[in-house]
């Protein structure tokens, strides 16, 4: 297999876009990524569009051909890919296969989602698209409910405290202040988290990512094509997409997400690194407790030690310098490409919260009850 | 690139399945394909699930991980792919890339759809998911409307007659009589077509495929793995996925579908054959006129001669021996895999309408306004 690089990235602002359609957002991000890469559009052989609920909320599918046509890309392999909140990073995984195998020299991946504006009950129901409707969604399970179960169990098994979980929100909202793409740019304190209203006990409002519109895109290309066009490229040193349990009932222990564990093993092996080598990471903090679980499953800390380790700032890896989903927002299908956008800027030394000398980045994106997991390792080689 | 073979196929009956969920249908077809291949499930590295409107009609997404889990496939690359009515054949295209590049030795592709039971207006609206909602769906365009435009133009430019178009329905419904998977198993006459009620002038009811539930699946595998397990395998000699115009307004001429033309060029070049070498073909006859346009764009006949050629039985290629979408039904996301199921049986000499000595098969599947097109060439080599 040859190498696949991220040759260009683009993103809209994440937040509320009441006046713009999904296709407009997707087209803006896709065009920005192509322009950033410097690669001529006619070299792009495939387009993957990651999206979760366009069908449910607006009735629009066929996003692959529509986005391709809007960008003037003709006769390409254009497909929508859906893996719940990991949809667009799953697209990047497929793109990295295609470019690595020299099927295409360049593949565009766009993630896009419009979530705001729907009535609350419609929005909540739409999110249960990523829970098995025949079983657990029918029983009333929601994602706040799932992560509340995880938090309760983590507290019970490891003594994780409310203060430790709040520290995730405080840290990530602090990073969000300087990210111009973030939906929330005001910091919060631990007291703010504690005083925020209950959502699904023990989760409080400031433990939860917001409802967000947005689009982000990456161009995955061969190193040769990226060099020829002087792209600001970073290498994809590891890429994994792994299915995990799609139902809570399939979990042995809801504090261990084996899709993440297996994906991490695969990318570390591919990249020839370990968790200790990661300088910057974007983890799927849809809820504050999730960052703790993710960091443990990725090997940043032993299982059960994530709470105190994050609260005490023990990690050498800077996690969610973008502000994470808690600050940036979580436009589900766009989130995976959004994380890779942030990492690419870090490795290009262009990030608003730049980690000095960052050379190795890791992105972790989860869909459903961590039923679909992607992990990517990016490296700066120059 | 190495070769990719279809090592096993499976299908539910196509028709009405009021008592079975989408996941049950998908699981049945997937298991049948794995069993047919004889390949141990643990060798399957990826699962693609093709579906169009599960989200819209039932609110269920995350189909990749759910189908994988239902089949006992753990830690695989599981993704839903959507390209409207070409969703599952797009999955086969991605699978053929992956197997050809030796990324995985075996990939399962399942197409599944539940369409019956929805109120008529909900169903009609759901199908416009594959038309641009910002423009043409908002103007009232539907798929019967699109193909009515195509038929009118074809009549105008080439003198194609009502009788010639009816001949497609008569032929395909005749084939459907002996296909145990088909939704319609009664033959129709040209008089029946003419007397059926108007749908979108000039299309009549018997020009239109029905509303259908069903699932079909294929296992794409390396020849080595297929041989080792004595799979009843046929070679994928050509595979193409090509984006075409996603809006009627993007067409120069609605009687020429350039996605099909380009896909055909690519697969003929890959397979080293021409249209004259195809023994059996499954073409996307969502409406009777579509088979005429498809056959022309694939080079079976010069443009404009499809009507008389089909009516007079001039083709040496036997088209839609399965009964086509007009008899089998059109469970949108499942249709592409359903066509490949039929072709595999032909090349294995196991089809209920067996074409004696069939060695080369071609499947053509279109999504939206032929906005996503797949063409596959399968060959029997033994």
């Amino acid at each position: 297999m040859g190498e696949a690089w991220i040759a260009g990235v683009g993103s809209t602002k994440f937040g509320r876009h009441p006046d713009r359609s999904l296709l407009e957002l997707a087209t803006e991000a896709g065009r920005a990524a192509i322009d950033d890469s410097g690669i001529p559009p006619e070299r792009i052989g495939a387009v993957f569009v990651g999206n979760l609920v366009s069908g449910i909320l607006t009735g629009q599918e066929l996003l692959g051909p529509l986005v391709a046509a809007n960008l003037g890309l003709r006769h390409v392999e254009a497909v929508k890919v859906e893996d719940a909140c990991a949809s667009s990073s799953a697209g990047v995984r497929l793109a990295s296969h295609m470019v690595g195998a020299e099927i295409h020299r360049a593949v565009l991946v766009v993630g896009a989602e419009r979530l705001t504006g729907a009535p609350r009950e419609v929005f909540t129901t739409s999110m249960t698209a990523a829970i098995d409707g025949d079983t657990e969604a029918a029983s009333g399970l929601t994602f706040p409910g799932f992560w509340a179960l995880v938090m309760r169990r983590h507290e019970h098994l490891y003594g994780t405290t409310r203060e430790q979980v709040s520290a995730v929100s405080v840290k990530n909202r602090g990073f969000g202040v300087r990210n111009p793409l973030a939906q929330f740019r005001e910091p919060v304190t631990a007291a703010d988290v504690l005083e925020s209203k209950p959502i699904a006990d023990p989760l409080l409002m400031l433990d939860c990512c917001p409802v967000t519109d947005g689009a982000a895109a990456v161009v995955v290309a061969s190193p040769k094509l990226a060099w020829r066009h002087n792209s600001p490229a970073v290498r994809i040193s590891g890429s994994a997409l792994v299915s995990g349990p799609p139902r809570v009932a399939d979990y042995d222990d809801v504090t261990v997400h084996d899709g993440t564990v297996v994906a991490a093993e695969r990318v570390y092996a591919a990249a020839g690194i370990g968790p200790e080598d990661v300088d910057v990471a974007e983890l799927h903090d849809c809820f504050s407790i999730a960052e703790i679980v993710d960091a443990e499953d990725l090997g940043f800390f032993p299982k059960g030690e994530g709470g105190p380790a994050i609260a005490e700032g023990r990690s050498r890896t800077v996690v969610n310098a973008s502000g994470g989903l808690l600050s940036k927002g979580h436009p589900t299908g766009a989130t995976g490409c959004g994380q890779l956008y942030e990492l690419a800027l870090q490795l290009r030394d262009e990030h608003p919260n730049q980690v000095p000398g960052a050379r190795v980045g890791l992105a972790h994106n989860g869909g459903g009850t961590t039923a679909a997991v992607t992990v990517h390792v990016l490296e700066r080689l120059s």
Side-chain angles (χ1 to χ4, degrees), chain A:
Chain A
M1 291 282 286
E3 294 188 352
W5 290 57
I6 289 182
V9 295
S11 181
T12 69
K13 188 174 178 344
F14 282 11
R16 292 181 178 273
H17 289 286
D19 301 328
R20 308 193 63 205
S21 75
L22 179 75
L23 283 174
E24 288 173 332
L25 295 171
T27 304
E28 176 186 328
R31 185 165 289 131
I34 296 170
D35 289 348
D36 184 50
S37 75
I39 292 173
E42 60 271 22
R43 303 306 301 269
I44 293 171
V47 176
F48 295 119
V49 179
N51 174 269
L52 173 54
V53 294
S54 170
I56 295 172
L57 291 182
T58 71
Q60 185 68 62
E61 299 288 356
L62 197 74
L63 300 178
L66 283 165
V67 170
N70 282 6
L71 291 167
L73 305 173
R74 296 184 66 208
H75 302 153
V76 294
E77 306 202 81
V79 188
K80 168 181 153 178
V81 295
E82 184 276 318
D83 246 337
C85 303
S87 293
S88 60
S89 61
V92 173
R93 174 48 172 158
L94 298 181
S96 76
H97 278 315
M98 285 187 148
V99 171
E102 300 183 359
I103 292 160
H104 295 297
R105 299 294 170 86
V107 175
L108 175 68
V109 185
V110 181
E113 205 82 65
R114 280 278 286 109
L115 295 178
T116 72
R120 185 183 305 191
E121 63 281 10
V122 172
F123 170 74
T124 300
T125 306
S126 77
M127 288 294 110
T128 60
I131 297 177
D132 183 10
D134 291 349
T135 58
E136 295 181 344
S139 305
L141 187 70
T142 61
F143 285 103
F146 172 66
W147 286 101
L149 291 171
V150 173
M151 182 164 161
R152 271 275 179 262
R153 190 73 185 154
H154 210 277
E155 290 174 338
H156 174 75
L157 288 175
Y158 312 116
T160 303
T161 66
R162 172 71 256 174
E163 290 66 32
Q164 290 162 357
V165 177
S166 296
V168 174
S169 296
V170 172
K171 169 178 71 70
N172 293 358
R173 290 292 296 269
F175 279 129
V177 171
R178 284 179 302 281
N179 189 342
L181 297 186
Q183 183 164 5
F184 291 151
R185 302 192 61 190
E186 303 77 35
V188 300
T189 65
D192 292 334
V193 178
L194 208 57
E195 286 160 19
S196 67
K197 69 177 179 183
I199 298 297
D201 185 54
L203 292 175
L204 305 172
M205 178 69 101
L206 290 178
D207 290 310
C208 309
C209 66
V211 178
T212 310
D213 309 322
V218 306
V219 174
V220 179
S222 70
K224 205 185 244 182
L225 191 66
W227 293 331
R228 184 174 314 147
H229 296 285
N230 209 15
S231 307
V234 297
R235 187 172 75 180
I236 301 174
S237 297
S239 175
L241 167 62
V242 176
S243 62
R247 300 173 190 93
V248 179
D250 297 331
Y251 270 90
D252 293 327
D253 173 355
V254 291
T255 70
V256 179
H257 292 203
D258 78 332
T260 301
V261 173
V262 171
E265 287 168 4
R266 292 185 188 172
V267 294
Y268 292 145
I273 66 163
E276 65 282 2
D277 298 311
V278 177
D279 299 313
V280 283
E282 291 289 319
L283 306 191
H284 193 88
D285 60 331
C286 49
F287 299 91
S288 46
I289 182 66
E291 181 174 312
I292 294 173
V293 172
D294 298 343
E296 293 168 347
D297 289 334
L298 291 162
F300 291 176
F301 317 110
K303 181 54 67 183
E305 294 184 20
I310 291 173
E312 295 159 18
R314 271 192 245 152
S315 172
R316 72 164 286 275
T317 307
V318 180
V319 173
N320 286 328
S322 68
L325 283 55
L326 290 168
S327 298
K328 274 192 79 182
H330 182 21
T332 46
T335 293
C337 278
Q339 292 177 316
L340 295 168
Y341 172 95
E342 300 287 339
L343 282 187
L345 292 197
Q346 284 284 355
L347 301 177
R348 288 156 54 169
D349 211 14
E350 297 171 10
H351 199 274
N353 285 314
Q354 184 63 43
V355 173
R359 303 191 69 81
V360 178
L362 179 147
H364 166 271
N365 190 200
T369 52
T370 325
V373 184
T374 62
V375 179
H376 284 90
V377 171
L378 305 186
E379 278 188 272
R380 171 186 188 154
L381 295 186
S382 60

